[in-house]
Amino acid sequence: MSYVITIDGPAGAGKSSISKRLAKELKIKYLDTGAIYRAIALILAKSEIKPDDENFLREALSEIKIELRDNSVLVNDFDVSSEIRTPEVDNLASIYSALPIVREALLHLQKEQKNYGSVVAEGRDVGSVVFPDAEIKFFLTASPQARAKRRYLERIEKGKEADYDEILSAIIQRDEHDSKRDFSPLKIPDNAIFIDSSDMTEDEVLKFILDKIKEVLPK
Ligand code: DC
């Protein structure tokens, strides 16, 4: 039997690392919906299509081809996997993903992923809009300070420059934008299991999720 697990939550809550590890552990597919929004935002911005330019947006969205491979995202056959992981694209994705026209254009691509077998999907509305009938849903969050600290350490470990206060204020700003937008705002999906990971290690969160899955999903 194939099944869908959803993990929603704000930026920096650890969704990506947990979802990847979970998918590996369960030997199922991992769907990073944020990467899709990032890729589309990058291409729209590069094409100089402004968020308020509905006609151009509609035309561009009908022409852009997005392809998801195991660990990469391709737009019109170009691998944009690393280009989408910058603070500039963080902001662009937050802006373009708030537009109903963009969300509608990307809904089908996300929904159809479950046709290829069981999946762990992570994002902001995967449990509420994309897969409302998912077998098990989680909402993973942490305090803005805990999330900023993790992002800061991640950047330092990668040898990149980092400023904790800047990261914290960007996180607060994105939370505000993602949860206050009119269309598909970040919210706790119905029946989702709530996890506050501020004082939990990644291993503890993973174990908690795996235990819940064992309880809920038939063997
Ligand atoms: O999870 P992330 O940081 O890669 O997401 C990038 C942006 O895309 C973020 O601003 C929220 C948005 N997003 C969304 O609106 N809906 C999703 N299902 C996933 C991401």
Side-chain angles (χ1 to χ4, degrees), residues 170-185:
I171 280 189
I172 293 172
Q173 212 181 327
R174 271 176 77 200
D175 278 2
E176 173 100 0
H177 200 257
D178 292 343
S179 54
K180 298 240 167 88
R181 67 188 180 205
D182 295 334
F183 201 72
S184 249

Side-chain angles (χ1 to χ4, degrees), residues 33-34 37-38 85 93-94 97 103 123-125 174 178 181:
T33 61
Y37 284 101
R38 285 169 178 275
R85 305 288 167 194
S94 186
S97 67
R103 304 199 73 84
R124 301 294 191 287
D125 64 348
R174 271 176 77 200
D178 292 343
R181 67 188 180 205

Side-chain angles (χ1 to χ4, degrees), residues 63-146:
E63 283 166 6
I64 298 170
K65 185 180 98 189
I66 298 197
E67 204 184 320
L68 302 173
R69 301 242 176 107
D70 263 359
N71 284 313
S72 47
V73 191
L74 280 74
V75 181
N76 298 338
D77 299 325
F78 278 103
D79 188 340
V80 293
S81 313
S82 16
E83 225 182 315
I84 57 172
R85 305 288 167 194
T86 63
E88 290 73 38
V89 180
D90 285 353
N91 289 332
L92 290 172
S94 186
I95 294 167
Y96 284 98
S97 67
L99 306 173
I101 185 174
V102 170
R103 304 199 73 84
E104 272 157 22
L106 298 178
L107 195 56
H108 178 71
L109 173 70
Q110 297 174 74
K111 279 182 180 285
E112 73 173 6
Q113 300 305 313
K114 76 167 187 187
N115 300 340
Y116 313 125
S118 298
V119 63
V120 178
E122 70 142 295
R124 301 294 191 287
D125 64 348
V126 282
S128 51
V129 176
V130 184
F131 301 115
D133 300 327
E135 277 68 17
I136 182 158
K137 303 177 188 180
F138 295 93
F139 188 86
L140 180 61
T141 188
S143 68
Q145 289 75 13

